[in-house]
Amino acid sequence: MRSFFAPAGSVFRTYATGGSPRSKLGPTLSLEHFVQRARVLSLYRHILRATRRIADPSTRADTRRFARQEFERNRGVTDLDHIRYLLSTGKTEWESMERYIDGL
């Protein structure tokens, strides 16, 4: 007859409350990091959508490539103040670029 109890030394599945050292999701974000991440993704999507207005295909591709490189370059930033600074700077730079695009 089989026992309903797991043998000593067996591995139990860990759930959200237990945490797993081999989690595929990575470390848990704080609420503030989560909010800033959402803002970064929102800005990135806004930039990609707005590049559709650029008539020249090569200029559009270059603009998208530049935006992606900038976001990738700063991907590892974890300091909240620095993230806020990058968001503010990115928004300002993109707004000036949009004025130029709208003028074309």
Side-chain angles (χ1 to χ4, degrees):
M1 182 171 180
R2 293 182 73 185
S3 172
F4 288 108
F5 299 104
S10 69
V11 179
F12 288 98
R13 176 178 278 174
T14 57
Y15 293 97
T17 55
S20 171
R22 301 174 125 204
S23 174
K24 293 179 184 178
L25 299 177
T28 305
L29 297 176
S30 69
L31 177 60
E32 187 61 27
H33 277 95
F34 180 80
V35 169
Q36 294 303 324
R37 181 178 184 272
R39 289 179 179 158
V40 169
L41 291 173
S42 175
L43 175 62
Y44 183 70
R45 286 192 297 270
H46 173 74
I47 291 170
L48 289 183
R49 279 189 223 107
T51 58
R52 293 178 193 157
R53 294 182 302 191
I54 300 174
D56 181 42
S58 66
T59 304
R60 183 182 322 123
D62 288 343
T63 304
R64 287 181 175 187
R65 189 177 312 110
F66 176 75
R68 181 179 175 111
Q69 287 172 348
E70 286 298 303
F71 278 85
E72 286 289 337
R73 189 169 63 89
N74 294 297
R75 180 180 220 152
V77 176
T78 57
D79 179 47
L80 287 171
D81 290 331
H82 192 64
I83 293 170
R84 286 186 198 104
Y85 168 77
L86 290 170
L87 266 172
S88 176
T89 304
K91 284 180 184 179
T92 304
E93 286 182 18
W94 180 248
E95 286 168 359
S96 67
M97 179 69 99
E98 272 187 315
R99 285 191 294 274
Y100 175 74
I101 292 170
D102 291 337
L104 292 178

Coordinates of all heavy atoms in Angstrom, one line a residue, residues 1-75:
M1 N 0.8 -1.2 0.0 CA 0.0 0.0 0.0 C 0.9 1.2 0.0 O 1.8 1.3 0.7 CB -0.9 0.0 1.2 CG -1.8 1.1 1.3 SD -3.0 0.8 2.6 CE -3.9 2.3 2.5
R2 N 0.5 2.2 -0.8 CA 1.3 3.5 -1.0 C 0.9 4.5 0.1 O -0.3 4.6 0.4 CB 1.1 4.1 -2.3 CG 1.6 3.2 -3.4 CD 1.5 3.9 -4.7 NE 2.4 5.0 -4.8 CZ 2.5 5.8 -5.8 NH1 1.7 5.8 -6.8 NH2 3.4 6.8 -5.8
S3 N 1.9 5.2 0.6 CA 1.6 6.2 1.6 C 1.2 7.5 0.9 O 1.6 7.8 -0.2 CB 2.9 6.4 2.4 OG 2.7 7.5 3.2
F4 N 0.3 8.2 1.6 CA -0.1 9.5 1.0 C 0.9 10.6 1.4 O 0.8 11.7 0.9 CB -1.5 9.9 1.6 CG -2.6 9.1 1.0 CD1 -3.2 8.1 1.8 CD2 -3.0 9.2 -0.3 CE1 -4.2 7.3 1.3 CE2 -4.0 8.5 -0.8 CZ -4.6 7.5 0.0
F5 N 1.8 10.3 2.2 CA 2.8 11.3 2.5 C 4.1 11.2 1.7 O 4.4 10.1 1.3 CB 3.2 11.2 4.0 CG 2.1 11.4 4.9 CD1 1.4 10.3 5.6 CD2 1.6 12.7 5.2 CE1 0.4 10.6 6.4 CE2 0.6 12.9 6.0 CZ -0.1 11.8 6.6
A6 N 4.7 12.3 1.3 CA 5.9 12.2 0.5 C 7.0 11.7 1.3 O 7.1 12.0 2.5 CB 6.2 13.6 0.0
P7 N 7.9 11.0 0.7 CA 9.1 10.4 1.5 C 10.0 11.6 1.9 O 10.0 12.7 1.3 CB 9.8 9.5 0.5 CG 9.3 9.9 -0.8 CD 7.9 10.5 -0.6
A8 N 10.7 11.4 3.0 CA 11.7 12.4 3.5 C 12.7 12.7 2.4 O 13.1 11.8 1.6 CB 12.4 11.8 4.7
G9 N 13.0 14.0 2.2 CA 14.0 14.4 1.2 C 13.4 14.7 -0.1 O 14.1 15.1 -1.0
S10 N 12.1 14.5 -0.3 CA 11.5 14.8 -1.6 C 11.3 16.3 -1.8 O 11.3 17.1 -0.9 CB 10.1 14.1 -1.7 OG 9.2 14.7 -0.9
V11 N 11.1 16.7 -3.0 CA 11.0 18.1 -3.4 C 9.6 18.4 -3.6 O 8.9 17.8 -4.3 CB 11.8 18.4 -4.7 CG1 11.7 19.8 -5.0 CG2 13.3 18.0 -4.5
F12 N 9.1 19.4 -2.9 CA 7.7 19.9 -3.0 C 7.7 21.1 -4.0 O 8.6 21.8 -4.0 CB 7.1 20.3 -1.6 CG 6.9 19.2 -0.7 CD1 7.8 18.8 0.2 CD2 5.7 18.4 -0.9 CE1 7.5 17.8 1.1 CE2 5.4 17.4 0.0 CZ 6.3 17.0 0.9
R13 N 6.6 21.2 -4.7 CA 6.4 22.4 -5.6 C 6.3 23.6 -4.7 O 5.6 23.6 -3.7 CB 5.2 22.2 -6.4 CG 4.9 23.4 -7.3 CD 3.7 23.1 -8.1 NE 4.2 22.4 -9.3 CZ 3.4 21.9 -10.2 NH1 2.1 22.0 -10.1 NH2 3.9 21.2 -11.2
T14 N 7.0 24.7 -5.1 CA 6.9 25.9 -4.4 C 5.9 26.8 -5.1 O 5.9 26.9 -6.4 CB 8.2 26.7 -4.2 OG1 8.8 26.9 -5.5 CG2 9.2 25.9 -3.4
Y15 N 5.0 27.5 -4.4 CA 4.0 28.4 -5.0 C 4.4 29.8 -4.8 O 5.5 30.1 -4.3 CB 2.7 28.1 -4.4 CG 2.2 26.7 -4.8 CD1 2.4 25.6 -4.0 CD2 1.6 26.5 -6.0 CE1 1.9 24.3 -4.3 CE2 1.2 25.2 -6.4 CZ 1.4 24.1 -5.6 OH 1.0 22.9 -6.0
A16 N 3.6 30.7 -5.2 CA 3.9 32.2 -5.1 C 4.4 32.6 -3.8 O 5.2 33.5 -3.6 CB 2.7 33.0 -5.6
T17 N 3.8 32.0 -2.7 CA 4.2 32.4 -1.4 C 5.6 31.8 -0.9 O 6.2 32.4 -0.1 CB 3.2 32.0 -0.3 OG1 3.0 30.6 -0.5 CG2 1.9 32.7 -0.6
G18 N 6.0 30.7 -1.6 CA 7.2 30.1 -1.2 C 8.4 30.6 -1.9 O 9.5 30.6 -1.3
G19 N 8.3 31.0 -3.1 CA 9.4 31.5 -3.9 C 10.3 30.3 -4.3 O 10.4 29.3 -3.7
S20 N 10.9 30.5 -5.4 CA 11.8 29.4 -5.9 C 13.1 30.0 -6.3 O 13.2 31.0 -6.9 CB 11.1 28.8 -7.2 OG 12.0 27.9 -7.8
P21 N 14.2 29.4 -5.9 CA 15.5 29.9 -6.2 C 15.8 29.8 -7.7 O 16.7 30.5 -8.2 CB 16.5 29.0 -5.5 CG 15.7 27.7 -5.2 CD 14.3 28.2 -5.1
R22 N 15.1 29.0 -8.5 CA 15.3 28.9 -9.9 C 14.1 29.5 -10.7 O 13.7 29.0 -11.8 CB 15.4 27.4 -10.3 CG 16.6 26.7 -9.6 CD 16.6 25.3 -9.9 NE 17.9 25.0 -10.4 CZ 18.2 24.0 -11.1 NH1 17.2 23.1 -11.5 NH2 19.4 23.7 -11.6
S23 N 13.5 30.5 -10.2 CA 12.4 31.1 -10.9 C 12.8 31.7 -12.2 O 13.8 32.3 -12.4 CB 11.8 32.3 -10.0 OG 10.8 33.0 -10.7
K24 N 11.9 31.4 -13.2 CA 12.2 31.9 -14.6 C 11.7 33.4 -14.7 O 12.1 34.1 -15.6 CB 11.4 31.1 -15.6 CG 11.8 29.7 -15.7 CD 11.0 28.9 -16.7 CE 11.5 27.5 -16.8 NZ 10.6 26.7 -17.7
L25 N 11.0 33.9 -13.7 CA 10.5 35.3 -13.8 C 11.5 36.3 -13.3 O 11.3 37.5 -13.6 CB 9.2 35.4 -12.9 CG 8.1 34.5 -13.4 CD1 6.9 34.6 -12.4 CD2 7.6 34.8 -14.8
G26 N 12.5 35.9 -12.6 CA 13.5 36.9 -12.1 C 13.1 37.4 -10.8 O 12.1 36.9 -10.2
P27 N 13.8 38.4 -10.3 CA 13.5 38.9 -8.9 C 12.1 39.6 -8.9 O 11.7 40.2 -9.9 CB 14.6 39.8 -8.6 CG 15.2 40.2 -10.0 CD 14.9 39.0 -10.9
T28 N 11.5 39.7 -7.7 CA 10.3 40.4 -7.6 C 10.5 41.9 -7.6 O 11.4 42.3 -6.9 CB 9.6 39.9 -6.2 OG1 9.5 38.5 -6.2 CG2 8.2 40.6 -6.1
L29 N 9.7 42.6 -8.3 CA 9.8 44.1 -8.3 C 9.0 44.7 -7.2 O 8.0 44.2 -6.8 CB 9.2 44.6 -9.6 CG 9.9 44.2 -10.9 CD1 9.2 44.7 -12.1 CD2 11.4 44.6 -11.0
S30 N 9.6 45.8 -6.7 CA 8.8 46.6 -5.7 C 7.7 47.3 -6.5 O 7.7 47.4 -7.7 CB 9.7 47.6 -5.1 OG 10.0 48.6 -6.0
L31 N 6.7 47.8 -5.8 CA 5.6 48.5 -6.4 C 6.1 49.7 -7.2 O 5.6 49.9 -8.4 CB 4.5 48.9 -5.4 CG 3.4 49.7 -5.9 CD1 2.6 48.9 -6.9 CD2 2.5 50.2 -4.8
E32 N 7.0 50.4 -6.7 CA 7.5 51.6 -7.4 C 8.2 51.2 -8.6 O 8.1 51.9 -9.7 CB 8.4 52.5 -6.4 CG 8.8 53.8 -7.1 CD 7.7 54.7 -7.4 OE1 6.6 54.6 -6.8 OE2 7.8 55.5 -8.3
H33 N 9.0 50.1 -8.6 CA 9.7 49.7 -9.8 C 8.7 49.2 -10.8 O 8.9 49.4 -12.0 CB 10.7 48.5 -9.4 CG 12.0 49.0 -8.9 ND1 12.3 49.1 -7.6 CD2 13.1 49.4 -9.5 CE1 13.5 49.5 -7.4 NE2 14.0 49.7 -8.6
F34 N 7.7 48.5 -10.4 CA 6.6 48.1 -11.3 C 6.0 49.2 -12.0 O 5.8 49.2 -13.2 CB 5.6 47.3 -10.5 CG 4.5 46.7 -11.3 CD1 4.7 45.6 -12.1 CD2 3.3 47.4 -11.4 CE1 3.6 45.1 -12.9 CE2 2.2 46.9 -12.1 CZ 2.4 45.7 -12.9
V35 N 5.7 50.3 -11.2 CA 5.0 51.5 -11.8 C 5.9 52.2 -12.8 O 5.5 52.5 -13.9 CB 4.6 52.5 -10.7 CG1 4.2 53.8 -11.3 CG2 3.5 51.9 -9.9
Q36 N 7.2 52.3 -12.5 CA 8.2 52.9 -13.4 C 8.4 52.1 -14.6 O 8.5 52.6 -15.7 CB 9.5 53.2 -12.7 CG 9.4 54.2 -11.6 CD 8.9 55.6 -12.0 OE1 9.2 56.0 -13.1 NE2 8.1 56.2 -11.1
R37 N 8.4 50.8 -14.5 CA 8.5 49.9 -15.6 C 7.4 50.1 -16.6 O 7.5 50.1 -17.8 CB 8.6 48.4 -15.1 CG 8.8 47.4 -16.2 CD 8.9 46.0 -15.7 NE 9.1 45.0 -16.7 CZ 8.1 44.4 -17.4 NH1 6.9 44.7 -17.2 NH2 8.4 43.6 -18.3
A38 N 6.2 50.2 -16.0 CA 5.0 50.4 -16.8 C 5.1 51.8 -17.6 O 4.7 51.8 -18.8 CB 3.7 50.4 -16.0
R39 N 5.6 52.8 -16.9 CA 5.8 54.1 -17.6 C 6.8 54.0 -18.7 O 6.7 54.6 -19.8 CB 6.2 55.1 -16.6 CG 5.1 55.5 -15.7 CD 5.4 56.5 -14.7 NE 4.3 56.8 -13.8 CZ 4.3 57.4 -12.6 NH1 5.5 57.7 -12.1 NH2 3.2 57.6 -12.0
V40 N 7.9 53.3 -18.5 CA 8.9 53.1 -19.5 C 8.4 52.4 -20.7 O 8.6 52.8 -21.9 CB 10.2 52.3 -18.9 CG1 11.1 51.9 -20.0 CG2 10.9 53.2 -17.9
L41 N 7.6 51.3 -20.5 CA 7.0 50.5 -21.6 C 6.0 51.4 -22.3 O 5.9 51.3 -23.6 CB 6.4 49.3 -21.1 CG 7.4 48.2 -20.6 CD1 6.6 47.0 -20.0 CD2 8.2 47.7 -21.7
S42 N 5.3 52.2 -21.6 CA 4.3 53.1 -22.2 C 5.0 54.1 -23.2 O 4.6 54.4 -24.3 CB 3.5 53.8 -21.2 OG 2.7 54.8 -21.7
L43 N 6.1 54.7 -22.7 CA 6.9 55.6 -23.5 C 7.4 55.0 -24.7 O 7.3 55.5 -25.9 CB 8.0 56.3 -22.7 CG 8.9 57.2 -23.5 CD1 8.2 58.4 -24.0 CD2 10.1 57.7 -22.6
Y44 N 7.9 53.8 -24.6 CA 8.5 53.0 -25.7 C 7.4 52.7 -26.8 O 7.6 53.0 -28.0 CB 9.1 51.7 -25.2 CG 9.8 50.9 -26.3 CD1 11.0 51.4 -26.9 CD2 9.3 49.7 -26.7 CE1 11.6 50.6 -27.9 CE2 9.9 49.0 -27.7 CZ 11.0 49.4 -28.3 OH 11.6 48.7 -29.3
R45 N 6.3 52.3 -26.3 CA 5.2 52.0 -27.3 C 4.7 53.3 -27.9 O 4.4 53.3 -29.1 CB 4.0 51.3 -26.5 CG 4.3 49.8 -26.2 CD 3.1 49.1 -25.8 NE 2.5 49.6 -24.6 CZ 2.8 49.2 -23.3 NH1 3.7 48.2 -23.2 NH2 2.2 49.7 -22.3
H46 N 4.6 54.4 -27.2 CA 4.2 55.7 -27.8 C 5.2 56.1 -28.9 O 4.8 56.5 -29.9 CB 4.2 56.7 -26.7 CG 3.9 58.1 -27.2 ND1 2.7 58.5 -27.6 CD2 4.8 59.2 -27.3 CE1 2.8 59.8 -28.1 NE2 4.0 60.2 -27.9
I47 N 6.5 55.9 -28.6 CA 7.5 56.3 -29.6 C 7.4 55.4 -30.9 O 7.4 55.9 -32.0 CB 8.9 56.2 -29.0 CG1 9.1 57.3 -28.0 CG2 10.0 56.2 -30.1 CD1 10.4 57.1 -27.2
L48 N 7.2 54.1 -30.7 CA 7.1 53.2 -31.8 C 5.8 53.6 -32.6 O 5.8 53.6 -33.9 CB 7.0 51.8 -31.4 CG 8.3 51.2 -30.9 CD1 8.1 49.7 -30.6 CD2 9.4 51.4 -31.9
R49 N 4.7 53.9 -32.0 CA 3.5 54.2 -32.7 C 3.7 55.6 -33.4 O 3.2 55.7 -34.6 CB 2.3 54.4 -31.7 CG 1.7 53.0 -31.4 CD 0.4 53.3 -30.6 NE 0.4 52.3 -29.5 CZ 0.6 52.6 -28.2 NH1 0.7 53.8 -27.8 NH2 0.5 51.6 -27.3
A50 N 4.3 56.5 -32.8 CA 4.5 57.8 -33.4 C 5.4 57.8 -34.6 O 5.3 58.6 -35.5 CB 5.0 58.8 -32.4
T51 N 6.3 56.8 -34.7 CA 7.2 56.8 -35.8 C 6.5 56.4 -37.1 O 7.1 56.5 -38.2 CB 8.4 55.8 -35.6 OG1 7.9 54.5 -35.3 CG2 9.3 56.2 -34.4
R52 N 5.3 55.9 -37.0 CA 4.5 55.5 -38.2 C 4.3 56.8 -39.0 O 4.1 56.7 -40.2 CB 3.2 54.9 -37.8 CG 3.3 53.6 -37.1 CD 1.9 53.1 -36.8 NE 2.1 51.9 -35.9 CZ 1.1 51.5 -35.1 NH1 0.0 52.2 -35.0 NH2 1.3 50.5 -34.3
R53 N 4.3 58.0 -38.4 CA 4.1 59.2 -39.2 C 5.2 59.6 -40.0 O 5.1 60.5 -40.8 CB 3.7 60.3 -38.2 CG 2.4 60.1 -37.5 CD 2.0 61.2 -36.6 NE 3.1 61.4 -35.6 CZ 3.1 62.1 -34.6 NH1 2.0 62.8 -34.3 NH2 4.1 62.2 -33.7
I54 N 6.4 59.0 -39.8 CA 7.6 59.4 -40.6 C 7.4 58.8 -41.9 O 7.3 57.6 -42.1 CB 8.9 58.9 -39.9 CG1 9.0 59.5 -38.5 CG2 10.1 59.2 -40.7 CD1 10.1 59.0 -37.7
A55 N 7.4 59.6 -43.0 CA 7.2 59.2 -44.3 C 8.3 58.3 -44.9 O 8.0 57.3 -45.5 CB 6.9 60.4 -45.2
D56 N 9.5 58.8 -44.7 CA 10.7 58.1 -45.3 C 10.9 56.7 -44.6 O 11.2 56.8 -43.3 CB 11.9 59.0 -45.3 CG 13.1 58.3 -45.9 OD1 13.0 57.7 -46.9 OD2 14.2 58.4 -45.3
P57 N 10.9 55.6 -45.2 CA 11.1 54.3 -44.6 C 12.4 54.1 -43.9 O 12.5 53.6 -42.8 CB 10.9 53.3 -45.7 CG 10.2 54.0 -46.8 CD 10.5 55.4 -46.6
S58 N 13.5 54.7 -44.5 CA 14.8 54.5 -43.9 C 14.9 55.4 -42.6 O 15.5 54.9 -41.6 CB 15.9 54.8 -44.9 OG 15.9 56.2 -45.2
T59 N 14.4 56.6 -42.7 CA 14.4 57.4 -41.5 C 13.6 56.8 -40.4 O 14.0 56.8 -39.2 CB 13.9 58.8 -41.8 OG1 14.6 59.4 -42.9 CG2 13.9 59.8 -40.6
R60 N 12.4 56.2 -40.7 CA 11.6 55.6 -39.7 C 12.3 54.4 -39.1 O 12.3 54.3 -37.9 CB 10.3 55.1 -40.4 CG 9.3 54.4 -39.4 CD 8.1 53.9 -40.1 NE 7.6 54.7 -41.2 CZ 7.4 54.2 -42.5 NH1 7.7 53.0 -42.8 NH2 7.0 55.1 -43.4
A61 N 13.0 53.6 -39.9 CA 13.7 52.5 -39.4 C 14.9 52.9 -38.5 O 15.1 52.3 -37.4 CB 14.2 51.6 -40.5
D62 N 15.6 54.0 -38.9 CA 16.7 54.5 -38.1 C 16.2 55.0 -36.7 O 16.8 54.8 -35.7 CB 17.4 55.6 -38.8 CG 18.3 55.1 -40.0 OD1 18.6 53.9 -40.0 OD2 18.6 55.9 -40.8
T63 N 15.1 55.7 -36.8 CA 14.5 56.2 -35.5 C 14.1 55.1 -34.6 O 14.4 55.2 -33.4 CB 13.3 57.1 -35.8 OG1 13.7 58.2 -36.8 CG2 12.7 57.8 -34.6
R64 N 13.5 54.1 -35.1 CA 13.1 53.0 -34.3 C 14.3 52.2 -33.7 O 14.3 51.8 -32.6 CB 12.2 52.0 -35.1 CG 10.8 52.5 -35.3 CD 10.0 51.5 -36.0 NE 8.6 52.0 -36.1 CZ 7.6 51.3 -36.6 NH1 7.8 50.1 -37.1 NH2 6.4 51.8 -36.7
R65 N 15.3 52.1 -34.6 CA 16.5 51.4 -34.1 C 17.2 52.2 -33.0 O 17.6 51.6 -32.0 CB 17.5 51.2 -35.3 CG 18.7 50.3 -35.1 CD 19.6 50.1 -36.3 NE 18.8 49.7 -37.5 CZ 18.6 50.5 -38.5 NH1 19.1 51.7 -38.6 NH2 17.9 50.1 -39.6
F66 N 17.3 53.5 -33.2 CA 17.9 54.4 -32.2 C 17.1 54.3 -30.9 O 17.7 54.1 -29.8 CB 17.9 55.8 -32.6 CG 18.5 56.8 -31.6 CD1 19.8 56.8 -31.3 CD2 17.6 57.6 -30.9 CE1 20.3 57.7 -30.4 CE2 18.1 58.4 -29.9 CZ 19.5 58.5 -29.7
A67 N 15.8 54.3 -30.9 CA 15.0 54.2 -29.7 C 15.2 52.9 -29.0 O 15.4 52.9 -27.8 CB 13.5 54.4 -30.0
R68 N 15.2 51.8 -29.8 CA 15.4 50.5 -29.2 C 16.8 50.4 -28.5 O 16.9 49.9 -27.4 CB 15.2 49.4 -30.2 CG 15.4 48.0 -29.6 CD 15.2 46.9 -30.6 NE 15.5 45.7 -29.9 CZ 14.6 44.8 -29.6 NH1 13.3 45.0 -29.9 NH2 14.9 43.7 -29.0
Q69 N 17.8 50.9 -29.2 CA 19.2 50.9 -28.6 C 19.2 51.6 -27.3 O 19.9 51.2 -26.4 CB 20.2 51.4 -29.6 CG 20.4 50.5 -30.8 CD 21.3 51.1 -31.9 OE1 21.5 52.4 -31.9 NE2 21.8 50.3 -32.8
E70 N 18.6 52.8 -27.3 CA 18.6 53.6 -26.0 C 17.9 52.9 -24.9 O 18.4 52.9 -23.8 CB 18.0 55.0 -26.3 CG 18.9 55.9 -27.1 CD 20.2 56.2 -26.4 OE1 20.1 56.7 -25.2 OE2 21.2 55.9 -27.0
F71 N 16.8 52.3 -25.2 CA 16.1 51.5 -24.1 C 16.9 50.3 -23.7 O 16.9 50.0 -22.5 CB 14.7 51.2 -24.6 CG 13.7 52.3 -24.5 CD1 13.5 53.2 -25.5 CD2 12.9 52.4 -23.4 CE1 12.6 54.3 -25.3 CE2 11.9 53.4 -23.2 CZ 11.8 54.4 -24.2
E72 N 17.4 49.6 -24.7 CA 18.2 48.4 -24.3 C 19.5 48.8 -23.5 O 19.9 48.1 -22.6 CB 18.7 47.7 -25.6 CG 17.6 46.9 -26.3 CD 17.1 45.7 -25.5 OE1 17.9 45.1 -24.7 OE2 16.0 45.2 -25.7
R73 N 20.1 49.9 -23.9 CA 21.3 50.4 -23.2 C 21.0 50.6 -21.7 O 21.9 50.4 -20.9 CB 21.8 51.6 -23.9 CG 23.2 52.1 -23.4 CD 23.8 53.2 -24.3 NE 23.0 54.4 -24.3 CZ 23.1 55.4 -23.5 NH1 24.0 55.3 -22.5 NH2 22.4 56.5 -23.6
N74 N 19.8 51.1 -21.4 CA 19.5 51.4 -20.0 C 18.6 50.4 -19.4 O 18.0 50.6 -18.3 CB 18.8 52.8 -20.0 CG 19.7 53.9 -20.4 OD1 20.7 54.2 -19.7 ND2 19.4 54.5 -21.5
R75 N 18.5 49.2 -20.0 CA 17.7 48.1 -19.4 C 18.0 47.7 -18.0 O 17.2 47.5 -17.2 CB 17.8 46.9 -20.3 CG 17.0 45.8 -19.9 CD 17.1 44.6 -20.8 NE 15.8 44.1 -21.0 CZ 15.3 43.4 -22.0 NH1 16.1 43.3 -23.1 NH2 14.1 42.9 -22.1

